[in-house]
Every structure is written in structure tokens, then in C-alpha cells.
Amino acid sequence: MTDPRTIRAEVRGRVGWIILDRPDVLNALNDAVRAEVLEAAARYDADPGIGAIVVTGSDRAFAAGADIGDLADVSGAEAIVSGVFDGWEAFAALRKPVIAAVAGYALGGGCELAMMCDIIVAADTARFGQPEITLALIPGMGGTQRLARAVGAYRAADLVLTGRMMDAAEAERAGLVSRVVPAAELLDVASAIADGIAARSLPSVLAAKAALRVALETPLAAGLRFERHAFAALFDTMDQKEGMAAFREKRAPSFENR
Ligand code: COA
């Protein structure tokens, strides 16, 4: 692995943290950020000692979008051949739950990166938007698709076509964020959520994420069939037996992730 230069990757207990760290450009996303985020995320996803992942930025910015300096002179042909943002789909496809802890700006690719996560915890300072239209572009990392699913067609159109930002309160009302917390508490809340998920039985956590993702991608009947099979399969885990035994014996369960 190359030494991370644009992120900090830290394991805290059973949680893998990815901290975007390009303060001079408000954590703008470039190829190096993508490579380093994907490397750390893939490592966490494969590590049996990790149960959840947190992605965060700074107080001022989660990420202010794709790096405009890098993209300014790109041609359409180069964008097609390089696949521009294709690699980010590997982040959206991680099997373990990912929590975005967002303070400050989450714009363009920053908003899109947050939407690839499973839970978005926002500081009351957070501002979300897809400003690409102001640059004569459109979102290219999933913004038109995931935003429409998250907040509905009409608010998504308002955001994508005007480029305006929404504050944390509006984002919560719209259903884009899971929780809004005071900025000073953001990392503690994200940490508590991640630690809590990481303490659950990993097979059930993976199944829950997979089923929740299917809900966004398939008609209801197919999703219900997926859920029923995933639910049934968990009865073959030792942890399910332990979880229900612990409940009946009025004690805390001891999960072994098998
Ligand atoms: N790419 C590259 N650099 C960026 C950036 C981006 N997406 N967003 C911010 N920066 C840089 C600025 O150029 C500035 O650098 P400088 O100090 O060398 O001039 C630095 O980060 C701080 O940004 P600044 O604009 O001075 O801060 P601000 O508080 O006045 O405004 C924003 C913050 C986020 C509103 C503003 O930076 C902005 O609109 N950024 C672009 C957002 C965007 O369009 N994203 C989609 C890109 S496709």
C-alpha cells in the first residue's frame, strides 16, 4: 500500500475510520483521494476485525466536490476513456455499513460520497448541494440518481437544476440525513453509532445492509424475496442461537461473528 497522503486511515476498536485530509481545497476529491479511500475501505471491508466504517472530513468541509483544478481542462473523450468517477462505485458496493459524519460543506462529489454511505450523520453546520450546474456540468458520481431516491424527484430537481445548498435541518426534513447533531458532538455520535453496529453479529449486519440496498434497486416483490431468504439464512448462524438464548436468559449476548 502507498502511504496515504490525502486521507488519514485509523482503526479504532472494531471501526475503520477514513478522514479526508486536504484542508487547502476543502477536501476536494481527486484521483489520489479516490485511490486512497478505496484502498482503505477495501482493507476494512476484508478485515474480520472491522465491523463498520466511518468517513468524515473536517469541521469546515466533508468534501467540497471533485477537484475543479484537475477537471478544468479534461476533454469529453478523456473523461470517457478514463471512466472519470467509475472507481467510486466500488465504495458504494462495500459490504460493511459505512457512516458518513458530515460537518460543513458536502457539495458535488462530497454530497455524492455521503450518499454512497448507509447512514449520514450531519453536524448542524452541514450544507449539502449539487452545484455542478453552476459549472455547466451535471453530477457525475450518482447525484441525480441517489438524490432523487433520497429526497424525491421534485426536491432533487430543485437542488440539481439550481445548484443551491440545503442546510442540515432541511436535509433532515428531506430524508437525506439520518440524524442532525450539534457540531461539537458529531464525531462522538458517529463513533457511538459505528461502535454499536460493530458490536452486533457481523453476518446479520452484512445481511441487513445487503437487504437495505436491494430495497433501492428492485421492485418490492423481488426485494421481499431477497429479505426472506437472507432472514432465513441467519438462523444457521451460531450468533442467532446465542442472541436468542441471551435474551431468554436475561444477559448480554456474546457474538462470535459466525
Ligand atoms: N476543487 C478545488 N478546489 C476547491 C474546491 C473544489 N471543488 N472547493 C474549494 N476549493 C478551494 C478553493 O479554490 C480555495 O482555494 P484557495 O484558497 O487556493 O483560493 C479553498 O478551497 C477554499 O475555498 P473558498 O472558495 O475560498 O472558501 P469559501 O468558504 O469562500 O467557499 C465553497 C466554500 C465550498 C462554497 C466554495 O469553495 C465552492 O463553491 N467550491 C466549489 C464547490 C463545487 O462547485 N463543487 C462541485 C465541483 S464539480
Side-chain angles (χ1 to χ4, degrees), residues 92-129:
L94 293 169
R95 299 168 68 231
K96 289 176 183 167
V98 186
I99 294 138
V102 178
Y105 297 109
L107 301 178
C111 185
E112 292 166 302
L113 178 61
M115 289 192 290
M116 290 179 200
C117 301
D118 301 291
I119 293 175
I120 302 178
V121 186
D124 49 15
T125 59
R127 305 193 73 186
F128 297 86

mmCIF file of all heavy atoms in Angstrom, residues 92-129:
data_model
loop_
_atom_site.group_PDB
_atom_site.id
_atom_site.type_symbol
_atom_site.label_atom_id
_atom_site.label_comp_id
_atom_site.label_asym_id
_atom_site.label_seq_id
_atom_site.Cartn_x
_atom_site.Cartn_y
_atom_site.Cartn_z
ATOM 1 N N ALA A 92 -19.414 2.402 -3.081
ATOM 2 C CA ALA A 92 -20.851 2.175 -2.846
ATOM 3 C C ALA A 92 -21.156 0.689 -2.666
ATOM 4 O O ALA A 92 -22.177 0.337 -2.089
ATOM 5 C CB ALA A 92 -21.651 2.734 -4.017
ATOM 6 N N ALA A 93 -20.266 -0.168 -3.167
ATOM 7 C CA ALA A 93 -20.517 -1.616 -3.120
ATOM 8 C C ALA A 93 -19.885 -2.293 -1.902
ATOM 9 O O ALA A 93 -19.930 -3.525 -1.794
ATOM 10 C CB ALA A 93 -19.978 -2.266 -4.404
ATOM 11 N N LEU A 94 -19.329 -1.527 -0.986
ATOM 12 C CA LEU A 94 -18.756 -2.143 0.224
ATOM 13 C C LEU A 94 -19.831 -2.943 0.948
ATOM 14 O O LEU A 94 -21.005 -2.571 0.945
ATOM 15 C CB LEU A 94 -18.209 -1.057 1.159
ATOM 16 C CG LEU A 94 -16.993 -0.299 0.621
ATOM 17 C CD1 LEU A 94 -16.718 0.921 1.494
ATOM 18 C CD2 LEU A 94 -15.771 -1.202 0.551
ATOM 19 N N ARG A 95 -19.428 -4.037 1.573
ATOM 20 C CA ARG A 95 -20.406 -4.914 2.234
ATOM 21 C C ARG A 95 -20.699 -4.468 3.662
ATOM 22 O O ARG A 95 -21.760 -4.752 4.203
ATOM 23 C CB ARG A 95 -19.914 -6.355 2.199
ATOM 24 C CG ARG A 95 -19.745 -6.867 0.769
ATOM 25 C CD ARG A 95 -18.996 -8.183 0.745
ATOM 26 N NE ARG A 95 -19.800 -9.242 1.330
ATOM 27 C CZ ARG A 95 -19.375 -10.067 2.295
ATOM 28 N NH1 ARG A 95 -18.165 -9.946 2.789
ATOM 29 N NH2 ARG A 95 -20.164 -11.006 2.753
ATOM 30 N N LYS A 96 -19.728 -3.809 4.285
ATOM 31 C CA LYS A 96 -19.934 -3.395 5.679
ATOM 32 C C LYS A 96 -20.589 -2.012 5.733
ATOM 33 O O LYS A 96 -20.391 -1.194 4.826
ATOM 34 C CB LYS A 96 -18.591 -3.383 6.418
ATOM 35 C CG LYS A 96 -18.088 -4.802 6.647
ATOM 36 C CD LYS A 96 -16.722 -4.866 7.284
ATOM 37 C CE LYS A 96 -16.317 -6.338 7.371
ATOM 38 N NZ LYS A 96 -14.887 -6.488 7.698
ATOM 39 N N PRO A 97 -21.357 -1.736 6.785
ATOM 40 C CA PRO A 97 -22.008 -0.435 6.884
ATOM 41 C C PRO A 97 -20.991 0.701 6.934
ATOM 42 O O PRO A 97 -19.952 0.592 7.596
ATOM 43 C CB PRO A 97 -22.778 -0.515 8.196
ATOM 44 C CG PRO A 97 -22.971 -1.973 8.438
ATOM 45 C CD PRO A 97 -21.749 -2.639 7.884
ATOM 46 N N VAL A 98 -21.318 1.776 6.229
ATOM 47 C CA VAL A 98 -20.458 2.955 6.206
ATOM 48 C C VAL A 98 -21.269 4.146 6.713
ATOM 49 O O VAL A 98 -22.385 4.401 6.242
ATOM 50 C CB VAL A 98 -19.941 3.254 4.783
ATOM 51 C CG1 VAL A 98 -18.935 4.411 4.843
ATOM 52 C CG2 VAL A 98 -19.298 2.020 4.154
ATOM 53 N N ILE A 99 -20.705 4.851 7.668
ATOM 54 C CA ILE A 99 -21.357 6.030 8.238
ATOM 55 C C ILE A 99 -20.607 7.263 7.764
ATOM 56 O O ILE A 99 -19.388 7.349 7.922
ATOM 57 C CB ILE A 99 -21.331 5.946 9.777
ATOM 58 C CG1 ILE A 99 -22.200 4.763 10.214
ATOM 59 C CG2 ILE A 99 -21.820 7.241 10.415
ATOM 60 C CD1 ILE A 99 -21.615 3.961 11.305
ATOM 61 N N ALA A 100 -21.327 8.194 7.173
ATOM 62 C CA ALA A 100 -20.728 9.479 6.815
ATOM 63 C C ALA A 100 -20.984 10.441 7.961
ATOM 64 O O ALA A 100 -22.135 10.613 8.382
ATOM 65 C CB ALA A 100 -21.347 10.020 5.528
ATOM 66 N N ALA A 101 -19.935 11.031 8.484
ATOM 67 C CA ALA A 101 -20.057 12.058 9.527
ATOM 68 C C ALA A 101 -19.725 13.387 8.855
ATOM 69 O O ALA A 101 -18.571 13.658 8.539
ATOM 70 C CB ALA A 101 -19.108 11.769 10.678
ATOM 71 N N VAL A 102 -20.767 14.179 8.621
ATOM 72 C CA VAL A 102 -20.634 15.355 7.755
ATOM 73 C C VAL A 102 -20.715 16.651 8.556
ATOM 74 O O VAL A 102 -21.727 16.926 9.199
ATOM 75 C CB VAL A 102 -21.749 15.374 6.677
ATOM 76 C CG1 VAL A 102 -21.646 16.627 5.816
ATOM 77 C CG2 VAL A 102 -21.681 14.114 5.819
ATOM 78 N N ALA A 103 -19.655 17.446 8.507
ATOM 79 C CA ALA A 103 -19.688 18.822 9.019
ATOM 80 C C ALA A 103 -19.311 19.737 7.859
ATOM 81 O O ALA A 103 -18.534 19.352 6.986
ATOM 82 C CB ALA A 103 -18.710 18.995 10.175
ATOM 83 N N GLY A 104 -19.872 20.918 7.828
ATOM 84 C CA GLY A 104 -19.533 21.867 6.774
ATOM 85 C C GLY A 104 -20.034 21.404 5.411
ATOM 86 O O GLY A 104 -21.060 20.730 5.296
ATOM 87 N N TYR A 105 -19.257 21.753 4.382
ATOM 88 C CA TYR A 105 -19.716 21.539 3.010
ATOM 89 C C TYR A 105 -19.665 20.071 2.580
ATOM 90 O O TYR A 105 -18.644 19.413 2.718
ATOM 91 C CB TYR A 105 -18.866 22.355 2.034
ATOM 92 C CG TYR A 105 -18.975 23.838 2.241
ATOM 93 C CD1 TYR A 105 -17.915 24.562 2.769
ATOM 94 C CD2 TYR A 105 -20.147 24.511 1.916
ATOM 95 C CE1 TYR A 105 -18.021 25.938 2.969
ATOM 96 C CE2 TYR A 105 -20.257 25.885 2.113
ATOM 97 C CZ TYR A 105 -19.195 26.581 2.640
ATOM 98 O OH TYR A 105 -19.311 27.939 2.835
ATOM 99 N N ALA A 106 -20.760 19.589 2.063
ATOM 100 C CA ALA A 106 -20.797 18.307 1.352
ATOM 101 C C ALA A 106 -21.431 18.625 0.002
ATOM 102 O O ALA A 106 -22.646 18.564 -0.181
ATOM 103 C CB ALA A 106 -21.623 17.269 2.108
ATOM 104 N N LEU A 107 -20.577 19.037 -0.920
ATOM 105 C CA LEU A 107 -21.067 19.557 -2.209
ATOM 106 C C LEU A 107 -20.588 18.665 -3.351
ATOM 107 O O LEU A 107 -19.495 18.085 -3.285
ATOM 108 C CB LEU A 107 -20.536 20.969 -2.438
ATOM 109 C CG LEU A 107 -20.903 22.004 -1.373
ATOM 110 C CD1 LEU A 107 -20.264 23.346 -1.711
ATOM 111 C CD2 LEU A 107 -22.425 22.137 -1.252
ATOM 112 N N GLY A 108 -21.386 18.595 -4.396
ATOM 113 C CA GLY A 108 -20.981 17.831 -5.571
ATOM 114 C C GLY A 108 -20.576 16.414 -5.178
ATOM 115 O O GLY A 108 -21.343 15.686 -4.539
ATOM 116 N N GLY A 109 -19.346 16.042 -5.532
ATOM 117 C CA GLY A 109 -18.847 14.704 -5.190
ATOM 118 C C GLY A 109 -18.850 14.433 -3.694
ATOM 119 O O GLY A 109 -18.932 13.279 -3.272
ATOM 120 N N GLY A 110 -18.778 15.482 -2.883
ATOM 121 C CA GLY A 110 -18.839 15.292 -1.431
ATOM 122 C C GLY A 110 -20.216 14.827 -1.006
ATOM 123 O O GLY A 110 -20.372 13.905 -0.193
ATOM 124 N N CYS A 111 -21.250 15.462 -1.564
ATOM 125 C CA CYS A 111 -22.628 15.031 -1.289
ATOM 126 C C CYS A 111 -22.843 13.624 -1.840
ATOM 127 O O CYS A 111 -23.473 12.776 -1.198
ATOM 128 C CB CYS A 111 -23.598 16.028 -1.926
ATOM 129 S SG CYS A 111 -25.321 15.727 -1.557
ATOM 130 N N GLU A 112 -22.267 13.377 -2.999
ATOM 131 C CA GLU A 112 -22.434 12.059 -3.632
ATOM 132 C C GLU A 112 -21.706 10.973 -2.850
ATOM 133 O O GLU A 112 -22.202 9.849 -2.724
ATOM 134 C CB GLU A 112 -21.951 12.129 -5.084
ATOM 135 C CG GLU A 112 -22.857 13.003 -5.942
ATOM 136 C CD GLU A 112 -22.244 13.368 -7.278
ATOM 137 O OE1 GLU A 112 -21.149 13.971 -7.303
ATOM 138 O OE2 GLU A 112 -22.844 13.046 -8.323
ATOM 139 N N LEU A 113 -20.528 11.300 -2.298
ATOM 140 C CA LEU A 113 -19.816 10.333 -1.468
ATOM 141 C C LEU A 113 -20.637 10.026 -0.214
ATOM 142 O O LEU A 113 -20.781 8.865 0.180
ATOM 143 C CB LEU A 113 -18.436 10.888 -1.088
ATOM 144 C CG LEU A 113 -17.582 10.004 -0.186
ATOM 145 C CD1 LEU A 113 -17.281 8.652 -0.848
ATOM 146 C CD2 LEU A 113 -16.272 10.717 0.183
ATOM 147 N N ALA A 114 -21.201 11.061 0.397
ATOM 148 C CA ALA A 114 -22.048 10.830 1.580
ATOM 149 C C ALA A 114 -23.222 9.917 1.231
ATOM 150 O O ALA A 114 -23.590 9.033 2.005
ATOM 151 C CB ALA A 114 -22.540 12.161 2.140
ATOM 152 N N MET A 115 -23.793 10.132 0.032
ATOM 153 C CA MET A 115 -24.957 9.322 -0.357
ATOM 154 C C MET A 115 -24.589 7.883 -0.705
ATOM 155 O O MET A 115 -25.477 7.040 -0.822
ATOM 156 C CB MET A 115 -25.689 9.978 -1.532
ATOM 157 C CG MET A 115 -26.422 11.242 -1.120
ATOM 158 S SD MET A 115 -27.573 11.844 -2.376
ATOM 159 C CE MET A 115 -26.461 12.412 -3.657
ATOM 160 N N MET A 116 -23.288 7.593 -0.905
ATOM 161 C CA MET A 116 -22.881 6.200 -1.093
ATOM 162 C C MET A 116 -22.808 5.462 0.244
ATOM 163 O O MET A 116 -22.678 4.245 0.276
ATOM 164 C CB MET A 116 -21.498 6.141 -1.758
ATOM 165 C CG MET A 116 -21.498 6.576 -3.198
ATOM 166 S SD MET A 116 -19.809 6.495 -3.835
ATOM 167 C CE MET A 116 -19.972 7.603 -5.246
ATOM 168 N N CYS A 117 -22.866 6.236 1.342
ATOM 169 C CA CYS A 117 -22.797 5.633 2.673
ATOM 170 C C CYS A 117 -24.185 5.160 3.088
ATOM 171 O O CYS A 117 -25.184 5.469 2.450
ATOM 172 C CB CYS A 117 -22.242 6.644 3.670
ATOM 173 S SG CYS A 117 -20.575 7.233 3.236
ATOM 174 N N ASP A 118 -24.235 4.414 4.200
ATOM 175 C CA ASP A 118 -25.518 3.854 4.644
ATOM 176 C C ASP A 118 -26.243 4.772 5.612
ATOM 177 O O ASP A 118 -27.474 4.805 5.639
ATOM 178 C CB ASP A 118 -25.259 2.493 5.300
ATOM 179 C CG ASP A 118 -24.587 1.564 4.324
ATOM 180 O OD1 ASP A 118 -25.250 1.154 3.355
ATOM 181 O OD2 ASP A 118 -23.386 1.284 4.483
ATOM 182 N N ILE A 119 -25.481 5.461 6.442
ATOM 183 C CA ILE A 119 -26.045 6.382 7.430
ATOM 184 C C ILE A 119 -25.313 7.704 7.259
ATOM 185 O O ILE A 119 -24.085 7.714 7.114
ATOM 186 C CB ILE A 119 -25.852 5.827 8.867
ATOM 187 C CG1 ILE A 119 -26.701 4.562 9.067
ATOM 188 C CG2 ILE A 119 -26.164 6.883 9.920
ATOM 189 C CD1 ILE A 119 -26.482 3.864 10.406
ATOM 190 N N ILE A 120 -26.065 8.801 7.246
ATOM 191 C CA ILE A 120 -25.433 10.123 7.184
ATOM 192 C C ILE A 120 -25.770 10.855 8.474
ATOM 193 O O ILE A 120 -26.941 11.156 8.737
ATOM 194 C CB ILE A 120 -25.918 10.944 5.973
ATOM 195 C CG1 ILE A 120 -25.636 10.189 4.659
ATOM 196 C CG2 ILE A 120 -25.240 12.316 5.960
ATOM 197 C CD1 ILE A 120 -26.144 10.922 3.402
ATOM 198 N N VAL A 121 -24.748 11.097 9.299
ATOM 199 C CA VAL A 121 -24.914 11.911 10.493
ATOM 200 C C VAL A 121 -24.376 13.289 10.156
ATOM 201 O O VAL A 121 -23.248 13.415 9.676
ATOM 202 C CB VAL A 121 -24.124 11.334 11.693
ATOM 203 C CG1 VAL A 121 -24.451 12.118 12.954
ATOM 204 C CG2 VAL A 121 -24.442 9.868 11.893
ATOM 205 N N ALA A 122 -25.208 14.302 10.362
ATOM 206 C CA ALA A 122 -24.812 15.648 9.972
ATOM 207 C C ALA A 122 -24.662 16.539 11.192
ATOM 208 O O ALA A 122 -25.509 16.531 12.094
ATOM 209 C CB ALA A 122 -25.852 16.255 9.031
ATOM 210 N N ALA A 123 -23.583 17.309 11.218
ATOM 211 C CA ALA A 123 -23.474 18.403 12.187
ATOM 212 C C ALA A 123 -24.458 19.490 11.781
ATOM 213 O O ALA A 123 -24.838 19.582 10.600
ATOM 214 C CB ALA A 123 -22.056 18.959 12.181
ATOM 215 N N ASP A 124 -24.852 20.314 12.751
ATOM 216 C CA ASP A 124 -25.794 21.400 12.397
ATOM 217 C C ASP A 124 -25.155 22.426 11.463
ATOM 218 O O ASP A 124 -25.834 23.299 10.934
ATOM 219 C CB ASP A 124 -26.370 22.056 13.669
ATOM 220 C CG ASP A 124 -25.302 22.418 14.682
ATOM 221 O OD1 ASP A 124 -24.096 22.436 14.319
ATOM 222 O OD2 ASP A 124 -25.659 22.677 15.855
ATOM 223 N N THR A 125 -23.858 22.307 11.227
ATOM 224 C CA THR A 125 -23.154 23.188 10.280
ATOM 225 C C THR A 125 -23.149 22.633 8.854
ATOM 226 O O THR A 125 -22.632 23.285 7.945
ATOM 227 C CB THR A 125 -21.683 23.337 10.697
ATOM 228 O OG1 THR A 125 -21.092 22.008 10.716
ATOM 229 C CG2 THR A 125 -21.544 23.964 12.067
ATOM 230 N N ALA A 126 -23.676 21.434 8.673
ATOM 231 C CA ALA A 126 -23.534 20.770 7.370
ATOM 232 C C ALA A 126 -24.361 21.479 6.300
ATOM 233 O O ALA A 126 -25.450 21.999 6.564
ATOM 234 C CB ALA A 126 -23.973 19.306 7.473
ATOM 235 N N ARG A 127 -23.815 21.502 5.085
ATOM 236 C CA ARG A 127 -24.553 22.062 3.937
ATOM 237 C C ARG A 127 -24.361 21.116 2.762
ATOM 238 O O ARG A 127 -23.233 20.768 2.405
ATOM 239 C CB ARG A 127 -24.044 23.452 3.600
ATOM 240 C CG ARG A 127 -24.097 24.377 4.819
ATOM 241 C CD ARG A 127 -23.902 25.806 4.431
ATOM 242 N NE ARG A 127 -25.093 26.325 3.760
ATOM 243 C CZ ARG A 127 -25.158 27.532 3.211
ATOM 244 N NH1 ARG A 127 -24.115 28.325 3.225
ATOM 245 N NH2 ARG A 127 -26.258 27.940 2.622
ATOM 246 N N PHE A 128 -25.474 20.722 2.190
ATOM 247 C CA PHE A 128 -25.460 19.736 1.108
ATOM 248 C C PHE A 128 -25.903 20.398 -0.198
ATOM 249 O O PHE A 128 -26.808 21.231 -0.196
ATOM 250 C CB PHE A 128 -26.425 18.588 1.421
ATOM 251 C CG PHE A 128 -26.060 17.797 2.649
ATOM 252 C CD1 PHE A 128 -26.479 18.209 3.907
ATOM 253 C CD2 PHE A 128 -25.294 16.642 2.545
ATOM 254 C CE1 PHE A 128 -26.143 17.482 5.047
ATOM 255 C CE2 PHE A 128 -24.955 15.913 3.669
ATOM 256 C CZ PHE A 128 -25.381 16.336 4.925
ATOM 257 N N GLY A 129 -25.303 19.978 -1.288
ATOM 258 C CA GLY A 129 -25.755 20.502 -2.570
ATOM 259 C C GLY A 129 -25.050 19.845 -3.733
ATOM 260 O O GLY A 129 -24.035 19.159 -3.567
#
